[in-house]
Structures are given as C-alpha cells and as structure tokens.
Amino acid sequence: MATTSSGLRPAQRTEKQRIMQQQQGVSHGWNSLTRSLNYGQQSLRSKDTKPVPSSRRSVTPTSRSLYRDFDDDNDSGRVRVAVRLRPRNAEDLLSDADFADCVELQPELKRLKLRKNSWSSESYRFDEVFTETASQKRVYEVVAKPVVESVLSGYNGTVMAYGQTGTGKTFTLGRLGKNDASERGIMVRALEDIMDNISIAFDTVEVSYLQLYMESIQDLLAPEKTNIPINEDPKTGEVSLPGAITVKLRDLHHFLELLQIGEANRHAANTKLNTESSRSHAILMVNIRRSVPGKVEDDISYQDKITKGNFPIVRKSKLLIVDLAGSERLDKSGSEGLLLEEAKFINLSLTSLGKCINALAENCPHIPTRDSKLTRLLRDSFGGSARTSLIITIGPSSRHHAETTSTIMFGQRAMKIVNVVKLKEEFDYESLCRKLEAQVDLLTAEIDRQQKLRQSEKSSFEKQLQECQDCFQETRKTLVTRSEFLEKENTRLELDMEDNLAELNCQKDHNNLMQDKIADLEMRLKQSQQHQLENSTYQKLLADTTEMYEKKIAELIKQLEVERARSKTAEEQLNSMKKLSGDHHNLTQQQEMENSKHQKALVDTTRIYEKKIMELTKQLEDEHTRSEDVQEQLHFANKRQTDYQNSMQKQEEMSELRLELQEMYQLHESTINELQSLKAEFKDQIEEKESITVKLYAVQEKLSAEEKQRKTIEYELEKLKKSAPEGDTDFEDEESYMKENIRGNSVLGTSASLRKAGPLRVTKSAAQRVIVAKICEEVGIQKIVRLLNSEDLDVQIHAVKVIANLAAEEVNQENIVKEGGLDALLTMLRSSQNATILRVASGAMANLAMNEMNQSLIMSRGGAQLLAKTASKTDDPQTLRMVAGALANLCGNEKLHMMLKEDGGVKALLGMVRCTNSDVVAQVARGMANFAKCESRAIVQGYRKGRSLLMEEGALEWLIGNCNIASASTRRHVELALCHLAQNSKQSSGIEISMHL
Ligand code: ADP
C-alpha cells in the first residue's frame, strides 16, 4: 500500500502527493459514480475534482449500487459483496416441495435471513441483495459497472462470483445472451461498456481468457497453452501471465467471438480432462491501456512538454472477472474416483482463497496469497489496490443449507476486506520513445534538408563571392585609374585655384582702391553738396542784395533827378531873384554879383553834384556789372568761398553805402529845406531889403556848409570809389586786421610788424573800426553777443563778424567775455556746421586769445579741444589760419602748455601744417616759437624741467625740415623755435637738437 513516507525526496513526495490526490479523486469519482448510478450522473459529477470519463451508455437512474450506502472515504476501498438468489429450478421444485426455503431475503434492508432450523434464523447484511427476479442488467449495474468505470479511470478492478455449483455464477458472469441481449452477463456488459468508452485510436483493450484447474493455468483462447506461469513484478507487484495470449479487441462483436471460443475451449478441455467446468476457475483478464487525455495527444506542444518535463502519461488498468469453481464439497459435486491429491489440488486454490479472505478479514499479519495460483492471481483483488466486487450466488433449496451457509459466511468475511485503490498511471515511455523517434526522424530529415540547402547556398555564395571578387578587382582597377585622373585633376584645380586666388587678391586690392576712391568721391560729393547749398544761399543772398542795390540806385537816380529839378528850380529862383534884384536894387549890384557868384558857385556845385552823381551812378553800374560777374563766378566751385567772401564784403559795403546814401539823402533834404528857406528869404527880400543881405549871408553860410558836406560826401564817394574796384573781401580786411592785432599782441609781435601793413588796409580797417565802433555804440555789445545765439544764420554771421572785429580791440574784450561772448563763440565752434561761422568764430577766438586772462578762460572752457576739433574737420586755409592763430596765441602762455598738450591743441597745431598755405604755416611756426620761448623762459626761471612738450609732440622734425622755408617771417619763427628748443635741450638733457642741427 502506498502511503506517505517522510523519507521521500521532494520530487518523490510531490509525485506521491499527486498520486494520492488522484487516488482521492478516484475515490470521489468512485463515489460520484456510485451516486450517479442512483441519483443521476450529471448532477453528481459537477462536484468532482477529477471527473471520471463519462460512459456513452446511459445508466438507469433508478439503479442501485453496492457502493451507495458505503461511500465514506474509510469504506471506499472495501470489497463490496452482493448476494444473488437463483430461482428455483425443476430439481428444487421436486426435491424441496415440502420444505421451505433455507433463506429469506430482505432486499430493502439488504439483509438475508438464513434459517438454522424450523424455528430460528440468522440475519446477514450485504451490500446488495438480489432476489431471484433480479435482472442481469441490474446485477451488472449494481455490482460490476462501478468496477468497470473504475477500471476505465485507471484502477484495477475485480468482479468475482462465488457460490455452490449451479447457483448461477456463470449465468451471472459469463452468459453470452446471443439470443436475448437482456440475458447478457457481466463479462459481455462490462466489455460493452469498456468498448463504448475508449478510443480505438488512442486506447487499447486486450483480453486473455484463462482457466485454472488443478493449479494449472490454461489459455482458453489458445487451449494448447497450459500451465502458464504467473509473473510478478518485484517492484510493482503487478501480476501478469506473459505466456497467455492477449487479444486486442476491435469491438464488442470481436469479444463475443473470443468469449464464445473461450467457452468452447473450456468445454472441450473439461471434456478432454474428464472434468466438470464447475471444478475450474474461469478468469477473464482485460488489460486497458489509456492515454491521459490532453497530455499525449497534443502533438503541437509535444516538444514543449518534453522540455518542461511533461511526459506523456498512460494508465494501465486491469479488470479481472473470475468465475470461481463451485464452493461445495467434492463429494457433493459428484466428482468421484478422484485421488485425494487430485482432490486437494482441485480445491487448493479455492481453499487458499478462503484462507486469505479469512486472514484479511481478521487483519492477520500474514496473508497466504502465495499458497495457490488463484490467490496469487487475485493478490491485488483482495487486500491489494483493486476495486473488488464479489457476488455470491446461492440457491433456495434447504438441501444445500450447509453450502449456502458456507457461501454466506464467505461473503460476510469478504465484506470485511478493505483494499487501497491505486491509480495505475505511469509515464508512457513507449509512446514518448516512439514520438521522440518520430521527432528524431523528422529532425534528421530536416537537418538533411537544411544541409542540402546550406550546401546549395554555400555553392551559391561561393559563386557570388567569386563574382564579387572579380567585380572588386575590376572596380579596383577602375578606381586606380579614376584616382590617378582625379589626382591630376586635383593638381590642375589647385593651380587654377592659386591663379584664381592671385586674381582675387588683385581684384581685392583693386576693390580697396575703388572703395577708397568711392569714399573720396563721396566726401567730395558731400562737400560739393554742401558748397552747392551754400552757393544757393549765397546766390539768393546776392540776388537779394543786387535787387536791393538796383532799387537803391533807382532811388538815387530818382533823387538825383529830383535834386536836379530842385537845382533847376533853385536856379530859376535865383534868376528871378537876380532879375528882381536888378530891377529893384542897383545898390545891391554888388550883392547881386555876389549872388551871381553864389549862383555860379551853386551851378558849379550843382554841376559837381551832377558830375559826382553821374560818377556815382557809373560806379554803381560798374558795381552792378561786377556783381553780375561775381554771380557768374559763383558757378565755379573752386572760387565759391572767395566769391562768398566778396559777396559778404559787398553786403557790408552796401550797408555802408546805404548809410552814406541815407546821409546824402538827409543832406539833400536839408538842402531842399534850405533852398526853400532861400526862396522864402528871396520872397522876404522883396519885402524886407535889409533882411536880404542877412539872408544871403545865411544862404552863403548854408552853402558853405553844404559845400563842406559836399566835400565830406565827395570824400566818402572817393573812398568808395577806391575801395570798390579793389574787390577785396571784408574777411581779408578782417584777416589783416586780426593779423595785425595778433601780431601786435603776440609774444613775438613788435610794432614793426604793425607798420608793415599797407596804408590802405590800415585806412580801410580804421574805417571799419569806426563803423563797428559806431554800431557798438548804438547797439551795445550785450545785444550783439545775444545775436550770436540768433536762430537766423545771417544774423549769426553778421553778429560773429562784429564780435570778431570788436574782439580785435583790447578795450572791448573784457566786455565781450563779460557779456558771454566767449561762451557763445565756444558754443558756435562746438555745434555750428557753417564754415563762415567756424572761420569767423575762430578768428574771434584768436583775437580774444591775445589776452592772457582770456587765454586761461578759453583753456578752462575746453577751447583748445574745440579749436583742435575745428582744425580736424576742415581744410579751408582761412579757417585753419584762424585756428592756428588762436592756438599760437595760447602757446604764448607757459602755464597752459600742459593742458594745451593734453587737450590736443599742440598736436592740432602741428597737424595743420598739412595745409601748405603759407599763412597757415606761418601761424603754426609762430605758435611753435611762442611755445618754445615760453618753455625756455620757464626753464631759465627755474620752474620747469624735463624734455620739451613740443618735442614730445614731434615738432622738432618739422622745424628742422622747414629751416629754409621761403617766407622770411615764418623762417624767422622756425629758427627762433629751434634756438629755444636747442637751449632747452641743452639745459635739460641732451644734445638731441644740436645733433640734428
Ligand atoms: P453454476 O455456474 O453456479 O454452476 P450455472 O450458471 O451453470 O451455475 O446455473 C445452473 C443453472 O441454473 C443453469 O441452467 C442456469 O440457467 C440456471 N440459473 C442459474 N441462475 C439463474 C437465475 N438467476 N435465473 C434463471 N436461471 C438460473
């Protein structure tokens, strides 16, 4: 018996547990099957953990089972025992007609009463009690069907009939029922069920039909095979008869044929042996081999199952249907003439079975199974692992009371035997082996196929490889050729690239040159545009001025005509006065003569007037012509500036002329008034002779005054006459004036330089000074300074010119600075873009810079920086001359040298020599001389040391290079500067100058 063992390994334990679970499942299945026989298969199976294969045949729901009332777990393996009572036969009816039956059945109580005698009986309980009317079908379903189902589930099973000969054992078990299927016995019904519930394709059913007689086993299907040995597996205890034929059943009909053959052979054998069939044991051995559903058949996952250890499982179960020999005594069976030994052998197996049953029923430690072949064959059926049903058959006759009692007692003892049913399941190594072999064959074929494929592919690859190698060689040759060609091409391209690079560089240089030219042209264009703008302004101004001139001239001509008319009138008046005088007063002839003289003088004066007016008119016409010429000249770009200056001078001259004409007009007015007075006097003379003389005196005086005025006008006209044809600009006058003043007030200036100015210029400058002084008196410096900030550019220009002229006078400088003139000039330099303003303001700065106090103010207010900036943004020689003059003046103040240097004044001064204009160069030279001299003075006085700041700015090279300059005054300044620098150098450190010199 397989019980749990603590000594098992885990895997073994697991397998053991599985088997135990299956056993329990079978047990349940047994019970469920049992229940299904009684209450319906469908409802009970749902509770099973492991369903028992369903029978294809329907089971009668009302059938009862041997296992219905004993389905507890403890009793599930117990041998079930049913008792069947044979109906009375003819013999019984004859023999026992007067006797009652020895047994009384109580089938509803499953009890049997055995009469001991007429008054007492004993009751026995069985698993089932069949009356004489019990059908074969019901007997099968109650006794054998559960065992058959169990065998189909993989358990061994035994169905055995025990009883006295003639009680119906063979009827119950081996009835063929050829004519009446209802009479079929258990063997046929069991095989019918088995064949219906297996699959011929996967399962096998093999049968052997044997007879045991005299401890010899004979094969009923092959009667020649006798004394077949029993083989017991020492490991499993399985009993087999390898010498017996096993026939694999095809169907039930096949079995019926075999059974019929077996019965025939049994009958023939008994006849031959002169025995009765009741003395032999007939054994139908049915071996069922079933594959576990869902484990072996699934070929698709078969390999996986092997890999995972899921081997195919097969259940090998065995059903034994044993028709035992009659249990009666030998003498009762009619076997007479037998030797005692024979009798012993005939009965040995049955006796041995009884002993084993007894031992098992009494739980004896030793079961004598090996005493007979029957007990060896039934070893698993009683006390083993098979499910066993025993049907005992009895007859009703009292004549066989003892046998009946013996049979009942045998059954009672057998009921006590409990088997431990065990699933006969094992790995289906054969199937596995077959499948694996098939798999191996398949895989071998696949490998062969793959090898052939590989071989084919290898050949193909080798061929392709050869082709690739050929192609590679060819490509390599092509590449080499191509590479050589590309190298040559590369070399050629490099050369081309170098050429292109050189060409590009040339192009680049050319482009740079062109860019410079473009920049230069753009600058020129800008200047030209500026000049054009200025020209248009000048032209407009000139046109206005000319128009004004024309108007003035027209007015003057008109006035002269009026004057002539008046003179004529006056002459007429004089003639009338003369006539009146001649008529009325001889005494006054002398006076008349004088009057005539006066008249003559007046005529002369008038003539002179007319002459002067004519000249003036001519001059004006000339001036007009000249203005037109100037206007034409304005079209020339290179003379624009000069023409502009001329126009400005003319404008100023026109202003002066306008003033003079205004004065003349006033004089003419007064003359007219006087003439009217004379007329009135002449009229009065008629009335008052005495007063005529007085009036004549008065007239004479007035005429004298007129003459005086006339002379003055003549003088002015003369001055205009002389000044106008020269065509010089007020700027030049201003320049000379400034220059004279600069020179006169410079450090180096002497009175000699002042004297060097031409007398005309001095006279003209003096006249201008008079005019300016007059303006200053009338307007006041404060207002003029205020005009410097005017928004009107013309006003600004006039104002800065006046301020520049006023600044030339030292007496005005203090007022100019006091009234904010210096600041206004600095603002102009800082912000104005007008060239005239920059030029004139620079000149004004130069004039103011003559004063030492102003010098400090100019420097402290950034004047040097502004002058340097002005110098840097213009190439106009006049402006540069003004700036250079201003800086030269500032160079004369030693205290300001460092600041002047730091503000870029010295560098700007030196930089202006780029303009080759002699006046500019002269101013630069003067500034250097001033600077060097001041340094020299400071060194001599002992409050300066070190290298000359001038030399630090690189002045020395220029001075040395211009020692032989053409202009005497400039050369003198250069020489003077060099002398001072040499002196300074000698005193401070070096021999630098002397070496250069
Ligand atoms: P055994 O095998 O026990 O010697 P048999 O099966 O040969 O007995 O039966 C003897 C006779 O009794 C047979 O003719 C059989 O037909 C008959 N017989 C036995 N049991 C029954 C039964 N239950 N119903 C009808 N006839 C029976």
Side-chain angles (χ1 to χ4, degrees), residues 53 158 589 781 818 910:
T158 304
Q589 193 170 2
I781 287 177
K818 184 181 175 185
L910 292 171

Side-chain angles (χ1 to χ4, degrees), residues 84 86-87 164-171 175:
R84 185 179 191 185
R86 174 182 54 79
Q164 188 182 3
T165 299
T167 53
K169 299 188 291 298
T170 305
F171 180 85
R175 189 82 173 182

Side-chain angles (χ1 to χ4, degrees), residues 473-502:
Q473 290 296 337
E474 196 172 339
T475 309
R476 191 175 179 182
K477 284 179 186 173
T478 309
L479 283 174
V480 168
T481 310
R482 181 73 181 161
S483 175
E484 289 172 354
F485 172 74
L486 286 173
E487 282 180 2
K488 287 178 185 173
E489 190 69 14
N490 193 27
T491 309
R492 189 183 66 76
L493 287 172
E494 282 179 354
L495 290 171
D496 287 352
M497 199 166 69
E498 286 175 2
D499 292 345
N500 288 332
L501 202 62

